[in-house]
Structure formats: C-alpha cells, structure tokens
Amino acid sequence: MMKAISIYALTRKQNISRLSKLERQLSGRERPLNIRAWEWGSMKALMDQLEKNMPEVYRLRLFYSFQIPRLGKEFDLLEVKEKQIINIELKSGVVSEEAIRRQLIQNRSYLSVLGRTIRSYTYISSQNRLVRLTKHDNIVEADWKQLCEELREESTDYEGDLEELFRTELYLISPLTQPDRFLKKEYFLTAQQNDIKRQILKKIRLQRSGYYWFTGLPGTGKTLLLYDIAMRLSGRHKVCMIHCGDMGQEWKKLHERLLRIVWMPDSQITEDTDMGGYAAVLVDEAHLLNKETLQRIVRLSKDRPIIFSGDCEDQISPEEAGESIKREMEKLPKLQVFRLTNRIRTNAEISSFIQNMMRLPGRKCSRRFPHVTIVYANDDREAENLLRDAKEQGYQVSGENEIAERTPDYLAVLLDESYYYDEYRYLRSKDHRVRSLFHQLNRAKEKLMLVVKNNEQLYGMFLNLQM
C-alpha cells in the first residue's frame, strides 16, 4: 500500500544514497525507488519556496512518483483530497511551454476520472519558475500564495491505497463492446502501446507500405491499439478493417460513425474483393486466419501497408493449435514484429495460473492464486448445481451470453473428462478444444472458477497448481 509522504522530511539535507530507504520507509512502496539527484534538488527548491509562504509546509502529505498500475503513467507529486487533486510536475532545466502544456493536459485527463477538481502546476527549478494550466488549456505564470492556499484546502486527505482509486477499467476499453466511449476517445494507451503506434505510423508515413504484426497474450490491449491506429489512418483516407472469426454485430455502431473505416469479415474475402480504394489494411484476431485467406489478403492488398493484430498462443500444444498461421506470417518480406507484454484487462494472477494450466511448469509454483476457485463434480447433475451456484455468486458461465459480455469480471468454465495432459505437460483435449478454452479463460478479469467434471486426474493437477 503506497502512502502519501512528507516531502519536507524527504528534502532535508542528508546523504543522497540514503534517500531511497527513507522514501520507501515513508511511502510503504513494495520496491525501492531510484531518486535522481536533479529531482531531489527540484523538490528541495520547491519546498524552500513553499515554506516562504506557508510556514507549516512540514504538514503537507503528497504522493511522490506515483504510477498508475499497468498503464505506466507517472506523476511527480500529487496531493489527493476529498474534493480536489493538485498535480505538481518537476523540471530542472528549461522546457518548452508547449511540452509543459501537453504533459499537464494529459495528466489532467488521467486524473479527471476521479471526478474531483484538478489543479495543475509545473515547477522549473533552474529558473525558479512556477506555471499552471488554466481551464482554457493555456500555460500562465502561477502565484505561490495561490498554490499554498490550494494546498491548505480544508477537505480530508486521502489516506487509502492510491492504486485502488485508479482502477484500470476506468481507462481502458473495448472499441467493440464500448463503442460510445471509444468514439468519444475516453481511453488511454499505455506507454508500450504508444511506442508501437509511433513506430508503425512513422514507417507507413515514410514508405506507404510494409507488413506490421503486433502480438501478445489476451488482455494486452491489441484490439484497442489496432482501432486507435485505424482512427489515425482514416483521418484522410479510407482503410479496411478485417475481422477474423465470429464478431457478431458488435462493429455496427462503429461502422455507422466511422465512415472511412470499412469493416469486412475474413470469410467474405474472395479473389474478386476490391482492395484498390484503401490506403491501408488492418486485420484483427489474425491468429484465427487460415493460410489461404492470409495469402489472399496479401495478394489483393498489393503494396499497401497491412497491420496484423493477434493473440500469442505459445502456451498451447502445437497439435491443439492446429496449422499455425505464425509460420506463414513470418514468411512476409521485412515483417516488423512487436510484442505487447503488459497485461491490462486481465488479472495478472489469473493470467499466470492460466499459463501454468496450459503447460504445467517444471517445478512447483510458489505463487498462490486466491482469485482462482477449483471445484469437482462427479456427474452432469452436480456440475449443473455448481454452475448454478456460480451464477448466483455473480459468475458468467462460459458459453452463455458471450456476445453480450466478452470480458466478464467473474467467469466460470466447465472442463469434462475429455481433457488430459500429454507427455510434454501440455493440456490436451480428445476433441481439440484447448485453443478455444485458452481464449475463453483469458476473458476473466477478476475471478475464475473451474468446474471439473468426472476427471479426478485433471482436478488433482489443478489443485496442485493452485496450492
């Protein structure tokens, strides 16, 4: 649990090598923070200026170097109260006003989800200059007395775990299931997503061609990134968005509003499909493509840029995964591959359990999985009762209403006697359903329940993983 700390205590003259230990003691953060000399100097200069107008500055409690979980967005200093938030960014050298403005606007956007008044400042210590962001998004010189009055604002300081305020679902959305929020741009990309986006758009701008492929486990934000890139490319030209697999009718609202993005299911692509009017082609769920359709898309697109987005299926047995499209993708000339690694929408604990479940680890895992529940049913009647109980607890049972809610908070899944582990410790199924199971399991955001029916060996393996 990260706590607000006394920046006054942190900036007293002392050996800089001891600052990390002091900060960790005050904040309670899990890992020590590497405090840079310039940043400590800027904080010290800030405290000196505040003390001139606010003798009781030692009473201030601010969150220092807070990072929103899983998003990578960091704030230098935050005062979080019941009714307002004050954000102070620190600079040691001269920075352009436009750069300061962009950072404070972005910070305000992230903070705005908490529904509190936001005051945004930047302090440049080399110039002893304090500036603030106005309501009209302008940068103006700030008054120290005004800042001190705002810091003294009489409302309760937030004393809980700051990470609990910044829930990931407030920022990251699905374009398909939350089209209104996507169209209003009520979402944020992680630092990793933004970096991949910049690299791809830069190459397309320079070359007007190329093959690009970003991959990652379910929950790493691939679809959101692909749609964000499609929005950017469709600013001036038409682009084609190809969906693989059964997407239902979820794309219709986006299709009605984004007229320069043309949606097309992979099943409808034939040799007669005209790709001539598109500046770029984007393919979602590319791991579901077959070899012939991939070759057809490449052939029809000619020299246009093609961007593929697909799940990583490394944990699945090669036999269960079937004919891998990965080998065909890797044959594309000068293919640029990007790997998304940050799990965003999926509980990291659940993700780890699923990976271990798909292929048993060589040694016992020391991690516990309190958000994974495993129960046993001897027959169909017992399985139905356990699943009925799960539904009453708020679980969505896999196979029911999947189109309506593709990423449920709680998910319950039934595994029957057809599942087993092979000699290489891969989970297998007599009717080759493991690939589908893998993608079902990864939809769970907060809790996962496995109901194992008439398969004691599998049940024992799962219990061993969990404990």
Side-chain angles (χ1 to χ4, degrees):
M1 174 174 164
M2 184 176 169
K3 299 177 291 187
I5 68 172
S6 168
I7 302 299
Y8 182 86
L10 189 65
T11 54
R12 296 311 88 196
K13 186 177 180 181
Q14 58 189 289
N15 189 320
I16 196 168
S17 64
R18 296 172 179 166
L19 287 177
S20 180
K21 292 181 180 178
L22 172 61
E23 194 282 333
R24 190 180 185 189
Q25 171 200 258
L26 295 173
S27 69
R29 71 173 76 238
E30 289 185 8
R31 296 180 179 83
L33 186 67
N34 180 27
I35 301 178
R36 293 159 290 191
W38 73 261
E39 194 167 41
W40 182 71
S42 293
M43 276 194 292
K44 189 176 189 316
L46 175 68
M47 286 295 108
D48 291 343
Q49 291 300 317
L50 289 175
E51 194 169 17
K52 292 177 182 179
N53 298 278
M54 187 180 181
E56 70 280 16
V57 69
Y58 56 85
R59 293 179 181 168
L60 285 179
R61 294 294 183 271
L62 305 177
F63 291 94
Y64 168 54
S65 192
F66 171 72
Q67 195 171 91
I68 298 178
R70 293 188 270 180
L71 293 190
K73 175 60 188 170
E74 187 175 4
F75 304 89
D76 288 343
L77 295 171
L78 289 175
E79 184 190 56
V80 182
K81 288 183 175 285
E82 188 179 301
K83 297 179 180 177
Q84 75 168 19
I85 297 175
I86 295 177
N87 171 217
I88 305 174
E89 292 299 311
L90 302 171
K91 309 293 179 189
S92 60
V94 178
V95 183
S96 73
E97 290 200 0
E98 181 56 28
I100 291 173
R101 177 178 171 274
R102 283 199 306 269
Q103 182 184 36
L104 292 182
I105 289 173
Q106 185 190 59
N107 288 5
R108 187 179 62 191
S109 296
Y110 277 92
L111 296 169
S112 64
V113 299
L114 302 183
R116 307 178 194 199
T117 301
I118 300 163
R119 319 284 188 187
S120 305
Y121 290 87
T122 294
Y123 176 61
I124 306 102
S125 57
S126 61
Q127 300 175 307
N128 192 27
R129 184 184 177 207
L130 182 71
V131 298
R132 65 179 178 87
L133 182 70
T134 70
K135 292 181 179 178
H136 301 292
D137 294 346
N138 297 316
I139 295 296
V140 299
E141 298 300 319
D143 180 73
W144 285 101
K145 289 183 179 180
Q146 180 183 348
L147 172 58
C148 290
E149 287 174 6
E150 290 171 353
L151 288 167
R152 288 193 188 101
E153 205 262 354
E154 292 186 6
S155 68
T156 308
D157 283 331
Y158 180 74
E159 296 181 351
D161 185 352
L162 197 57
E163 291 189 0
E164 292 181 0
L165 284 183
F166 292 89
R167 301 189 311 275
T168 307
E169 60 266 27
L170 295 174
Y171 299 95
L172 296 161
I173 65 168
S174 166
L176 295 171
T177 58
Q178 298 166 288
D180 290 327
R181 290 191 64 191
F182 177 77
L183 291 166
K184 293 176 184 176
K185 298 188 178 180
E186 294 179 355
Y187 64 91
F188 298 88
L189 299 181
T190 65
Q192 187 182 38
Q193 288 172 316
N194 269 316
D195 182 54
I196 293 172
K197 174 183 171 180
R198 277 193 298 269
Q199 291 187 59
I200 291 176
L201 291 177
K202 181 179 179 182
K203 284 281 188 179
I204 290 177
R205 192 164 53 248
L206 293 173
Q207 300 176 359
R208 306 285 180 183
S209 62
Y211 301 110
Y212 311 88
W213 180 25
F214 49 86
T215 181
L217 290 169
T220 47
K222 299 179 298 298
T223 296
L224 178 61
L225 175 57
L226 190 71
Y227 272 82
D228 185 77
I229 292 174
M231 284 262 280
R232 183 70 175 270
L233 291 173
S234 67
R236 295 183 179 180
H237 307 282
K238 273 191 175 183
V239 299
C240 178
M241 175 72 77
I242 298 174
H243 282 295
C244 305
D246 180 19
M247 295 306 297
Q249 301 298 309
E250 295 176 325
W251 50 269
K252 277 199 167 183
K253 182 169 276 192
L254 292 176
H255 177 64
E256 291 167 359
R257 297 277 296 277
L258 301 175
L259 300 180
R260 286 192 174 137
I261 301 178
V262 177
W263 276 264
M264 190 180 300
D266 64 323
S267 59
Q268 291 184 11
I269 298 174
T270 69
E271 292 296 339
D272 297 325
T273 302
D274 183 10
M275 296 283 196
Y278 307 122
V281 176
L282 300 92
V283 184
D284 195 18
E285 306 277 10
H287 56 279
L288 298 177
L289 281 172
N290 59 47
K291 178 180 176 180
E292 292 73 23
T293 305
L294 171 64
Q295 292 175 344
R296 190 174 297 138
I297 291 171
V298 172
R299 189 164 56 250
L300 293 170
S301 301
K302 297 181 180 177
D303 294 328
R304 293 171 183 80
I306 307 179
I307 306 170
F308 300 94
S309 167
D311 286 349
C312 171
E313 298 181 332
D314 293 344
Q315 291 86 357
I316 303 175
S317 162
E319 289 85 357
E320 289 283 352
E323 183 181 358
S324 175
I325 198 66
K326 180 179 178 182
R327 290 190 294 271
E328 293 302 316
M329 298 270 283
E330 289 170 346
K331 294 176 184 177
L332 295 173
K334 297 181 180 180
L335 173 70
Q336 291 200 46
V337 181
F338 305 90
R339 180 70 181 266
L340 283 158
T341 56
N342 298 331
R343 300 304 296 270
I344 301 168
R345 293 187 190 85
T346 305
N347 184 306
E349 169 207 318
I350 293 176
S351 173
S352 177
F353 180 86
I354 293 169
Q355 291 181 63
N356 290 337
M357 172 186 164
M358 287 292 116
R359 190 179 188 188
L360 296 174
R363 57 184 179 181
K364 187 172 176 61
C365 179
S366 59
R367 181 172 185 172
R368 294 183 62 82
F369 302 97
H371 292 86
V372 178
T373 301
I374 302 162
V375 294
Y376 189 74
N378 290 282
D379 50 37
D380 288 339
R381 183 185 64 82
E382 292 181 2
E384 287 175 10
N385 287 336
L386 289 169
L387 290 172
R388 189 177 296 115
D389 180 54
K391 289 173 70 173
E392 290 175 1
Q393 295 178 57
Y395 285 83
Q396 177 183 312
V397 176
S398 184
E400 299 181 359
N401 303 318
E402 291 193 14
I403 297 300
E405 190 178 1
R406 290 185 177 272
T407 54
D409 290 335
Y410 298 0
L411 179 69
V413 180
L414 176 68
L415 293 96
D416 59 21
E417 51 269 77
S418 68
Y419 291 95
Y420 65 96
Y421 282 97
D422 67 13
E423 59 183 311
Y424 302 106
R425 305 174 72 85
Y426 282 111
L427 182 65
R428 302 285 304 278
S429 169
K430 294 173 184 176
D431 47 7
H432 302 288
R433 286 184 289 160
V434 170
R435 190 184 190 197
S436 173
L437 173 69
F438 174 70
H439 292 286
Q440 287 177 39
L441 295 173
N442 275 289
R443 291 167 47 231
K445 289 196 294 187
E446 298 299 334
K447 288 187 179 182
L448 176 65
M449 178 185 290
L450 302 179
V451 179
V452 182
K453 186 187 76 172
N454 193 27
N455 192 335
E456 289 197 30
Q457 185 178 21
L458 190 74
Y459 178 58
M461 294 284 195
F462 288 172
L463 287 180
N464 287 339
L465 281 177
Q466 189 193 38
M467 304 301 290

